[in-house]
Amino acid sequence: YQDLHTFELQAPTRVIEWARGNRVCVAGYGESGGNEILQLLPPPALQGTETQGLCSERDFKVECGGFSNRPVYSLKPVPDTRLLVTSGPPDISLQVWQVSAEDSDVIKSVSTISTENGTGQPWAKIATISARAPWVLHGSRLNNIQITEVESRENVYMAASQSTEELSGLAFLDANTLLLCCARGGLCLADVRQPQSPLEAASVPWAPCGEWWCMGVGRGPQGSDSQPVACLSSGGHLILTDIRKISESLASAKCRVPSPSSGAEFLCVSWAPALEGCLAVSGFDGMVHVYDTQSWDSSGREAEPIFVHKGHAFGPGSSRNPPLVTAHAWHPQKPRTLLSAASDGSLHVWDWVQSCGKC
């Protein structure tokens, strides 16, 4: 490691999101209620874009917080605002929160975004954008995808679909284009300007059947309409494609995981924002694997990670009850810096030593 910071949360979290001013948002997911939503101020070494020398303060600081009476399975800051949107069981409603001004340390609930026939549905996946206005994209199945204006709670888009396929993730590609990932391995593009066009999911090319899938969307070259998409399965398969032709595979590989995931609850794949071709994978065990995909082909053979973060797997009490990494996120500016959280309440931020190549 080049650097490693650890922080012990009061309860396990499954969300890590970077918010305004390089803050970090986390939230608990306990079923009993009283789940904390915290905005953390990172250690000073992480607050600048350049690597700093030794500093006396190495811990995260709780800047403000609040409590949710329901589990928080997803949390998204709304860009250019002090608002947060959360979702979680037992239904597909969303909760809207406001981070108070600098003279207060409270994150308070301000509204709820409800949807028709939401009871009994899987919890809603969410994405946010502020291109025209503060919008939240949300839904749990292809037939209940919609966009809601966060502050007015007005519906501005509802997708046309009869499919009840469950979603594992969704994303704004830009102000008009959406990408949806079905849990059984389908990708679907949608256009906000064409709400009547029926959604049709394209199967992940050459994907093994019977596995649960999630996706990560990366940034394409500046000035290009290309954006890479990585699809990860509960069996450890990784398939790379591009939004310009989501029905075609560009490369594939098998992750080095101990065994296929018994559940897909915490599977996560994400592209590095400042390292070309690098992505991180977690959710199989107490580790985070980082891969360089630039040399991958279509063989699907096992890939060698360029770095493995094992810190959660060797924490206190890990021998009796091995923790599971529940979430990870890349630092928006620091190329090799990631945050990861685990089921034992540990939060790590780490940066590995560059050994060779771009990664």
Side-chain angles (χ1 to χ4, degrees), residues 216-297:
V217 183
R219 299 177 184 174
Q222 191 170 4
S224 169
D225 60 354
S226 169
Q227 275 185 269
V229 180
C231 297
L232 171 68
S233 82
S234 54
H237 296 94
L238 263 171
I239 295 176
L240 309 185
T241 184
D242 189 279
I243 61 167
R244 294 174 298 182
K245 195 165 286 190
I246 57 176
S247 60
E248 292 187 5
S249 171
L250 300 178
S252 61
K254 181 75 164 56
C255 294
R256 181 172 289 183
V257 295
S259 62
S261 176
S262 57
E265 187 176 11
F266 301 121
L267 287 190
C268 181
V269 57
S270 63
W271 290 94
L275 281 179
E276 184 180 356
C278 284
L279 54 78
V281 167
S282 67
F284 292 92
D285 51 22
M287 306 181 192
V288 182
H289 290 219
V290 180
Y291 294 92
D292 181 1
T293 69
Q294 294 180 93
S295 62
W296 288 8
D297 55 26

Side-chain angles (χ1 to χ4, degrees), residues 64-241:
C64 54
F67 287 93
S68 171
N69 60 6
R70 56 196 297 162
V72 179
Y73 278 25
S74 184
L75 179 153
K76 298 292 180 184
V78 181
D80 305 321
T81 73
R82 290 185 173 273
L83 300 176
L84 309 172
V85 181
T86 64
S87 67
D91 53 38
I92 59 173
S93 65
L94 310 181
Q95 289 68 52
V96 182
W97 306 79
Q98 184 173 52
V99 179
S100 299
E102 283 77 2
D103 59 348
S104 173
D105 59 359
V106 176
I107 297 177
K108 62 180 180 179
S109 175
V110 292
S111 64
T112 297
I113 298 174
S114 300
T115 55
E116 295 182 7
N117 303 319
T119 304
Q121 295 274 6
W123 60 279
K125 283 62 179 181
I126 54 178
T128 55
I129 196 172
S130 290
R132 297 192 184 95
W135 282 359
V136 57
L137 168 66
H138 55 108
S140 62
R141 301 184 186 275
L142 277 180
N143 63 354
N144 61 26
I145 295 296
Q146 55 187 294
I147 296 175
T148 303
E149 204 283 315
V150 176
E151 294 172 314
S152 68
R153 287 176 284 173
E154 292 182 3
N155 180 269
V156 295
Y157 167 82
M158 183 167 290
S161 177
Q162 299 300 314
S163 173
T164 58
E165 279 199 78
E166 185 177 349
L167 293 173
S168 62
L170 37 73
F172 280 104
L173 299 178
D174 55 40
N176 296 313
T177 316
L178 320 173
L179 181 64
L180 317 173
C181 180
C182 297
R184 293 302 174 190
L187 292 175
C188 184
L189 280 170
D191 194 317
V192 174
R193 297 163 296 186
Q194 300 173 353
Q196 301 307 314
S197 298
L199 300 182
E200 296 182 5
S203 297
V204 175
W206 304 301
C209 297
E211 297 184 354
W212 196 94
W213 292 81
C214 65
M215 73 169 182
V217 183
R219 299 177 184 174
Q222 191 170 4
S224 169
D225 60 354
S226 169
Q227 275 185 269
V229 180
C231 297
L232 171 68
S233 82
S234 54
H237 296 94
L238 263 171
I239 295 176
L240 309 185
T241 184

